[in-house]
Amino acid sequence: MNLKKKLLLTAVTCAMTCFYGVTSEAQSKPQIEDTIKALETEADSYDKENKKDLAKATRELIRYQKALITVLDSNREDMLKTAKDCINDATNARDAVLMSYFIKENDAEAIQLEKAKKPKAAEACRKCTQAAKDLKKAYETGDKNQIQSMKDALKKAQFQKDAVAIDEALWKNDQEKKIAERDGKKDIADTLTKLMDARRNLKNALNSGKEDEIKKARIKVEDAEDIRLIKILPDEIKAGEALSQKYDKEGKDELADAEKKICEAKSNLKKALDSGSISNIKTAKATLEKAEDSRIPAQLNMEIRWHKGEVASLERESKPNTAKVVREIIEIKEDLIKATESDNEEQINKLKQKLRDLDRVKYATKLTDEIVQNNKDIKIAEEAKNTKRVERLKSLIEAKQKLSDTLKTSASWNDIKKLESVMWRASELVWSTSLEADIPKLTNEAATLEKDGRTDEANAVKKLSEVKKQLSAAFEANNSADITKFKAEHEKAEWGRDAARNRYDVKKLEEQSGKLASEGKTETLEVVKRIISAKKAYISSLEAGNKNEFQARRDAIKKAEDDRKKAEAKDKENEAKKKAQQTKKPAPSIGGGKKL
């Protein structure tokens, strides 16, 4: 739960327990002053969140609280009564506005839970919403008995909602426990068992509705959660540091920095938990939450950069419709960064939902674009009289069309996954026909390379041909283990052939370098050296399997090769100038160079 939502729930809880109202004749000035300070902090936070109506209602309540201080010492019962009445009215008005936001939050949460196929949690959320609506009406009427009755109803609905949420927390803890047991981490597994027991006790207390028992049970859950954190934080910090180093190597600086901050915050939380200081623990948890929130913009920025490359790739592949959807996704992610940085939760939820919807649209559009290409593939296969490939392509198109149509409906992801599995199988069978067609071509290519003395390349091509045979056989047998194995080997074999080609290119370019140097073609020579360097870097990436570097290496090679044309033109121009100077005859002197 983020800090803003905590603040809203705290304010709602205070409203339900009359924290800000005048509930006792014995209330002192210091108590009222503390209340005013708390309200001022809330009002400022509401301003930042652009909840102007709630901020205004809170400041109106502050005004009456301040007025109460001025009349508290007087013997004017009438003035004191008026001040208290004004505070009660202002409290009701402010709490009615507060309930509006609480209702909105619950509505949004219920929608998300329904989409996530969590009907029990969604129903509990809806009951909370209805109870909050009833309480809002009671605040607007000002009927004390009705307000108290509706407060009790909301409290009960909130308890039930919390009880339902515990079931999900128990399931997650159980999964964690199984992993800990599998990894031989008995102390973590035992800690999780105690946490689960504490959660079950809390659930029983919530269902009973006994507030004293609920309070005690919540404290025990918090204590058990803290013990769990003490046990798991060292492993999480270690994993985070490894992830940060990985991001550093991949050039993902923003994500690396965000991960470092999270690791630092987790280290501080571990120290705070070890110290047992409640205030330090609270501060450290808030700092960790902020650090984890800061990872979101970093992740989104990285995704945006990737999407921009995706757009360029889609346009090259003549998939304009999908490219258009990806541009929309980029715009929404840019807006989501702004909303996250301003902590605008309402906008964040709207944008996240738009992204979820667009993911489906993108998927459906991508399939439609692919169908266009598959229809072209059918014509080519028909011309080649490859009946097997034609039939399989038709089956693939049918599977893609069905999946695309379903994505445009509100079908669940489970239904979509079933159709996906049909599509992937059809795709594998089509790929198998491509592999079969490639093998004779590769056999001929290897023979030609061997004749030309290019043994390194010939061996790489033979290896690729062999792996294609194995992958095709795995597809035909529908052997998932072999498919996974030979897909990885196929990818490596492709890299191997690419590396062999580039090694040959480097050898030829190095031979050209000597000739260019002897001919004095300095401009071209410098660019050729750049091409050699770029190709060697690409070969290193291929051999290491660093996929993240491939495109950047290819771009560097292309840039250098494009520059070579300009360099050759420059050398030609320089050579022409040099020849012109050499053929130019000196002008004859007058009188044989003697003075007249």
Side-chain angles (χ1 to χ4, degrees):
M1 188 188 295
N2 63 35
L3 293 171
K4 196 169 107 177
K5 198 161 185 179
K6 279 181 185 173
L7 176 64
L8 180 64
L9 285 173
T10 302
V12 169
T13 304
C14 290
M16 287 162 68
T17 53
C18 299
F19 183 81
Y20 297 123
V22 180
T23 57
S24 170
E25 294 294 328
Q27 191 176 31
S28 64
K29 280 185 184 180
Q31 286 175 315
I32 297 168
E33 285 166 353
D34 287 344
T35 298
I36 289 167
K37 281 178 188 175
L39 287 167
E40 283 172 342
T41 302
E42 273 195 40
D44 291 341
S45 69
Y46 294 143
D47 272 330
K48 286 176 186 174
E49 294 162 19
N50 204 30
K51 294 176 179 175
K52 301 297 181 188
D53 52 349
L54 188 50
K56 185 181 176 182
T58 304
R59 289 202 170 91
E60 186 71 3
L61 177 55
I62 291 167
R63 189 164 73 87
Y64 288 118
Q65 291 277 12
K66 286 178 178 177
L68 176 63
I69 291 173
T70 63
V71 298
L72 202 60
D73 295 329
S74 74
N75 292 320
R76 296 283 303 274
E77 286 293 330
D78 56 334
M79 287 179 68
L80 198 58
K81 185 179 181 304
T82 301
K84 288 180 180 180
D85 289 342
C86 288
I87 284 173
N88 284 329
D89 291 344
T91 300
N92 288 339
R94 177 252 189 198
D95 291 346
V97 178
L98 184 62
M99 282 300 132
S100 298
Y101 285 99
F102 183 67
I103 290 160
K104 195 183 285 186
E105 286 269 358
N106 266 276
D107 275 338
E109 191 179 349
I111 290 165
Q112 286 177 357
L113 289 165
E114 282 166 351
K115 288 189 174 178
K117 304 294 177 187
K118 294 177 182 177
K120 282 186 181 178
E123 186 186 353
C125 215
R126 295 278 185 211
K127 285 180 180 177
C128 257
T129 302
Q130 188 54 54
K133 284 178 180 177
D134 294 339
L135 179 55
K136 182 175 178 284
K137 285 177 188 173
Y139 280 135
E140 286 165 349
T141 61
D143 185 322
K144 286 182 182 179
N145 292 330
Q146 189 69 4
I147 288 169
Q148 191 53 53
S149 174
M150 291 303 105
K151 276 183 183 179
D152 293 340
L154 177 55
K155 202 180 287 184
K156 187 179 177 183
Q158 189 67 47
F159 288 162
Q160 290 305 308
K161 181 186 169 186
D162 290 347
V164 171
I166 285 171
D167 289 332
E168 187 173 351
L170 283 167
W171 182 83
K172 286 179 181 177
N173 290 152
D174 189 47
Q175 298 306 304
E176 280 184 80
K177 183 184 170 183
K178 285 173 183 175
I179 293 166
E181 286 172 338
R182 183 197 67 194
D183 296 344
K185 296 176 180 176
K186 188 176 180 298
D187 55 340
I188 294 176
D190 290 344
T191 303
L192 286 161
T193 300
K194 288 173 184 175
L195 174 57
M196 290 163 73
D197 288 341
R199 287 196 195 283
R200 289 188 189 101
N201 290 335
L202 174 56
K203 185 180 176 182
N204 291 336
L206 287 162
N207 287 330
S208 75
K210 293 176 182 176
E211 290 189 45
D212 286 344
E213 286 184 19
I214 291 168
K215 191 176 179 181
K216 287 174 188 175
R218 283 194 197 279
I219 291 167
K220 285 183 180 177
V221 168
E222 285 171 13
D223 290 343
E225 282 178 333
D226 287 347
I227 293 166
R228 168 186 165 272
L229 284 170
I230 290 168
K231 298 288 184 184
I232 68 166
L233 279 172
D235 284 345
E236 286 192 1
I237 292 163
K238 191 177 176 182
E241 286 168 348
L243 190 58
S244 178
Q245 287 170 6
K246 179 177 175 282
Y247 288 145
D248 266 330
K249 285 178 185 175
E250 292 170 357
K252 298 171 183 175
D253 298 338
E254 285 178 83
L255 275 175
D257 289 343
E259 207 60 49
K260 281 173 192 170
K261 285 177 185 173
I262 290 168
C263 287
E264 188 181 332
K266 283 182 177 179
S267 295
N268 291 335
L269 176 55
K270 176 74 168 63
K271 288 173 190 172
L273 288 163
D274 289 338
S275 74
S277 168
I278 293 169
S279 61
N280 287 351
I281 291 168
K282 191 177 178 182
T283 303
K285 281 182 178 178
T287 304
L288 175 57
E289 195 163 8
K290 284 179 183 176
E292 286 176 334
D293 285 346
S294 74
R295 179 168 48 186
I296 297 167
Q299 178 69 31
L300 288 168
N301 275 319
M302 187 190 76
E303 288 173 10
I304 286 165
R305 283 193 292 274
W306 186 84
H307 284 317
K308 285 177 179 176
E310 188 184 11
V311 167
S313 175
L314 288 164
E315 286 174 341
R316 281 196 301 271
E317 294 166 9
S318 301
K319 294 177 180 175
N321 298 323
T322 313
K324 186 182 174 184
V325 178
V326 176
R327 282 196 197 91
E328 285 181 55
I329 289 171
I330 290 169
E331 286 175 16
I332 290 171
K333 286 190 176 180
E334 285 171 344
D335 290 341
L336 184 54
I337 289 170
K338 291 173 190 172
T340 303
E341 287 170 345
S342 64
D343 201 24
N344 187 336
E345 192 168 354
E346 187 179 347
Q347 184 69 356
I348 288 167
N349 288 333
K350 282 181 183 176
L351 291 168
K352 280 183 177 178
Q353 186 54 52
K354 279 186 181 179
L355 280 176
R356 281 191 286 271
D357 294 341
L358 271 178
D359 276 342
R360 291 175 78 125
V361 172
K362 178 190 170 185
Y363 196 177
T365 310
K366 182 173 175 283
L367 291 169
T368 305
D369 280 342
E370 285 176 5
I371 288 167
V372 172
Q373 183 56 50
N374 291 149
N375 279 314
K376 290 178 184 176
D377 294 338
I378 284 175
K379 287 180 182 177
I380 294 165
E382 283 172 342
E383 287 170 8
K385 295 182 179 179
N386 190 338
T387 312
K388 182 180 176 182
R389 183 168 170 79
V390 169
E391 291 307 313
R392 289 185 176 186
L393 279 163
K394 285 179 180 177
S395 297
L396 177 58
I397 287 169
E398 186 183 340
K400 283 183 178 179
Q401 190 60 60
K402 195 173 282 186
L403 177 55
S404 178
D405 292 342
T406 306
L407 283 161
K408 292 168 189 173
T409 70
S410 58
S412 71
W413 280 108
N414 284 335
D415 293 337
I416 288 164
K417 281 175 185 175
K418 287 174 188 174
L419 291 171
E420 262 187 334
S421 64
V422 174
M423 182 193 73
W424 290 128
R425 180 61 189 143
S427 182
E428 285 172 352
L429 291 170
V430 169
W431 190 0
S432 179
T433 62
S434 297
L435 294 166
E436 288 169 357
D438 288 342
I439 292 163
K441 294 174 189 173
L442 290 170
T443 304
N444 293 335
E445 186 184 340
T448 305
L449 289 165
E450 279 182 331
K451 280 180 188 176
D452 295 343
R454 293 160 69 173
T455 312
D456 181 35
E457 281 182 90
N459 289 337
V461 170
K462 283 178 184 176
K463 173 66 179 171
L464 179 58
S465 178
E466 181 58 31
V467 173
K468 280 182 184 280
K469 282 179 190 173
Q470 291 167 325
L471 180 56
S472 177
F475 281 143
E476 294 298 325
N478 198 16
N479 186 323
S480 57
D482 280 353
I483 288 169
T484 303
K485 178 187 172 183
F486 292 120
K487 267 186 181 179
E489 288 193 18
H490 182 264
E491 192 174 41
K492 286 178 185 175
E494 289 276 16
W495 300 342
R497 179 173 69 166
D498 207 359
R501 279 177 181 169
N502 279 276
R503 278 194 293 271
Y504 177 77
D505 290 346
V506 167
K507 184 183 173 185
K508 287 295 177 186
L509 287 165
E510 283 171 343
E511 288 171 6
Q512 288 175 26
S513 296
K515 189 181 177 187
L516 290 166
S518 64
E519 292 172 354
K521 294 179 179 177
T522 54
E523 298 283 340
T524 309
L525 179 60
E526 286 306 309
V527 176
V528 166
K529 284 179 180 176
R530 271 176 53 209
I531 297 171
I532 291 169
S533 177
K535 280 185 174 283
K536 282 182 176 178
Y538 181 41
I539 291 164
S540 297
S541 295
L542 286 165
E543 288 172 343
N546 292 334
K547 289 193 270 188
N548 293 319
E549 296 177 358
F550 289 178
Q551 193 55 51
R553 302 297 191 204
R554 289 182 193 126
D555 291 344
I557 292 168
K558 188 177 183 305
K559 174 77 170 60
E561 286 175 341
D562 289 344
D563 289 346
R564 179 172 181 169
K565 293 171 187 174
K566 295 173 191 173
E568 285 171 345
K570 185 74 176 169
D571 276 334
K572 216 173 207 179
E573 187 185 324
N574 291 340
E575 195 177 350
K577 283 179 183 176
K578 195 175 179 181
K579 282 181 181 177
Q581 285 173 350
Q582 286 171 351
T583 55
K584 193 175 180 184
K585 294 179 181 178
S589 58
I590 299 171
K594 295 178 182 180
K595 290 183 180 179
L596 296 174

